[in-house]
Amino acid sequence: MTEEHPSSTHPPLPPTTEDDRFSWLRLLRSRRVGVMTFYRLLSEHGTAQDALAALPGVARAAGVSDYAPCPEGVIAAELRAARAAGARLICRGEPGYPTALAALDDAPPMLWSRGDPALLSRPMVAMVGARNASSLGTRTARKLATDLSEAGFVVVSGLARGVDAAAHAAALPLGTIGVVAGGVDVIYPSENTDLHHDIAKQGLILSEQPMGLQPQARHFPARNRIIAGLAQGLVVVEAAARSGSLITADAALGLGREVLAIPGHPFDARAAGCNRLIRDGATLIRGAEDVIAALGDPAQPALPLQAAPAPRPETPPSTSKRNLRQTAALHQLILDRLGPSPVAEDQLIRDLSAPATAVAPVLVDLELDGRITRQAGGLLARVD
């Protein structure tokens, strides 16, 4: 079974009984059922119970024999762990589910939460940055988070060390949300133990992952889309050229969110990612006033956030002054056309139907980021 778009563009109706919620969770935890497959199965079969009954047949049709859905005992154990941790399950379509996140095609069907769910109904701004943040970066994150929370924003971040931890701690008195890559009952990294407990009491911790799950590298990009999806905009405080913060920025960009960045010294490697974002069109900010000017006053009613429209195939922009969204689109077009087998640069440019003057700088960016490699004879290959 592979991840596909659901056959219906309408989100499923939320579960109405505890049995329905149990079945939703069991379907989502079943092997090879990701978010988009979950939605497709619900769309095709109507209920999670019917989808679970159909799963073995769907698996056989896909060439997978001896398939069985997630055992009921596994879900029962997860629910017991949630009760022990004081966690609450929020399903997409329910009143407490965050509206901005629900607009995404790949919105998590279910979220575990610990803390104050009322924070999900307030205006949110995301802040991310370097784990090995400089002293200046940490002070900047604290100041910015304090000012934004006093202005009325809930500060969302990923509960990592460095910038994330500084932003959470500063915003905690007025509202902060930590989105984690493991279970909401799992503390990671261990140095944030006290902060994790404080947020669970005064703020909110969110995750789409099972209770008790230790985070792995593959879970962080999925976590990042939730951070980006919840917020009106994403502020990058300090980030290296190859940074998880830039992955979150790409996610925000793809969702139609504002991307904002604090500039840094050109010789500081920890500022390279922010400076590149600004060069490519992100909003340069110096303080909370600039963020509010870009996102709007959180005290004023705002239009509901929507996901960005699906990109339409088109010729890459030929102007040298591309905005951030156009640059990201061109990056992806290039990466989609490259694989491990080398391709001639001039052939790639012809395939893109774009002027060499537009493609060449982007190839340099991707090469510096370690996404592609340049070989003898003008050959390019993607680095996976």
Side-chain angles (χ1 to χ4, degrees):
M1 291 177 288
T2 58
E3 291 293 284
E4 301 176 18
H5 288 286
S7 56
S8 171
T9 58
H10 300 288
L13 294 174
T16 56
T17 68
E18 288 306 310
D19 286 345
D20 288 341
R21 292 162 74 84
F22 188 98
S23 296
W24 264 46
L25 198 55
R26 188 181 173 209
L27 178 61
L28 188 60
R29 300 292 186 245
S30 292
R31 184 166 53 101
R32 300 197 180 195
V33 176
V35 169
M36 300 310 290
T37 298
F38 174 90
Y39 288 131
R40 178 173 63 82
L41 289 169
L42 276 190
S43 176
E44 292 177 354
H45 300 284
T47 68
Q49 291 92 331
D50 290 341
L52 285 164
L55 259 181
V58 174
R60 280 195 300 273
V64 181
S65 59
D66 300 325
Y67 182 92
C70 179
E72 292 185 1
V74 171
I75 303 306
E78 183 172 352
L79 294 173
R80 286 195 299 271
R83 286 192 293 271
R88 174 174 174 261
L89 192 62
I90 310 173
C91 299
R92 186 181 182 188
E94 291 180 338
Y97 193 95
T99 304
L101 200 59
L104 310 186
D105 287 340
D106 63 344
M110 315 180 89
L111 290 166
W112 282 114
S113 67
R114 292 178 66 203
D116 182 6
L119 293 176
L120 293 171
S121 64
R122 290 174 48 191
M124 292 176 248
V125 61
M127 285 183 61
V128 297
R131 286 174 169 81
N132 63 332
S134 67
S135 176
L136 176 60
T138 302
R139 293 199 308 271
T140 300
R142 282 199 295 263
K143 172 63 174 170
L144 192 57
T146 299
D147 292 347
L148 289 173
S149 62
E150 289 177 350
F153 281 109
V154 172
V155 174
V156 182
S157 196
L159 246 174
R161 61 173 62 92
V163 165
D164 288 21
H168 282 307
L172 183 62
L174 295 177
T176 189
I177 297 174
V179 185
V180 296
V184 293
D185 55 339
V186 173
I187 297 173
Y188 179 87
S190 60
E191 66 198 62
N192 283 347
T193 296
D194 290 342
L195 180 60
H196 183 108
H197 289 314
D198 288 343
I199 296 175
K201 292 176 183 177
Q202 296 177 249
L204 185 68
I205 297 177
L206 283 181
S207 178
E208 65 180 323
Q209 300 298 342
M211 301 294 300
L213 179 77
Q214 293 291 331
Q216 301 174 22
R218 61 189 175 87
H219 298 139
F220 286 91
R223 184 276 307 265
N224 293 345
R225 92 185 189 289
I226 298 176
I227 294 174
L230 284 170
Q232 293 175 239
L234 173 79
V235 179
V236 186
V237 174
E238 202 171 59
R242 299 183 66 182
S243 164
S245 299
L246 299 189
I247 297 175
T248 311
D250 286 341
L253 187 65
L255 299 176
R257 306 298 192 250
E258 289 287 338
V259 176
L260 311 100
I262 293 179
H265 194 283
F267 293 162
D268 186 347
R270 284 172 294 201
C274 289
N275 291 341
R276 195 187 79 184
L277 287 172
I278 293 168
R279 182 202 64 190
D280 289 343
T283 301
L284 184 153
I285 60 168
R286 299 156 296 177
E289 298 82 3
D290 292 336
V291 178
I292 294 169
L295 302 183
D297 187 343
Q300 301 298 320
L303 294 173
L305 289 175
Q306 300 291 332
R312 300 173 60 185
E314 58 183 5
T315 300
S318 59
T319 174
S320 61
K321 294 186 177 180
R322 301 181 306 277
N323 63 28
L324 184 61
R325 187 168 289 109
Q326 290 172 322
T327 300
L330 185 51
H331 280 203
Q332 194 57 53
L333 283 172
I334 291 171
L335 292 173
D336 286 345
R337 283 164 173 77
L338 290 177
S341 299
V343 174
E345 180 175 343
D346 58 353
Q347 180 61 53
L348 173 66
I349 293 172
R350 285 196 297 271
D351 291 344
L352 292 168
S353 300
T357 53
V359 178
V362 178
L363 293 177
V364 174
D365 288 348
L366 292 171
E367 186 178 6
L368 291 174
D369 286 351
R371 307 291 299 278
I372 66 174
T373 181
R374 194 181 297 270
Q375 302 178 10
L379 299 178
L380 302 169
R382 179 171 177 167
V383 177
D384 291 319

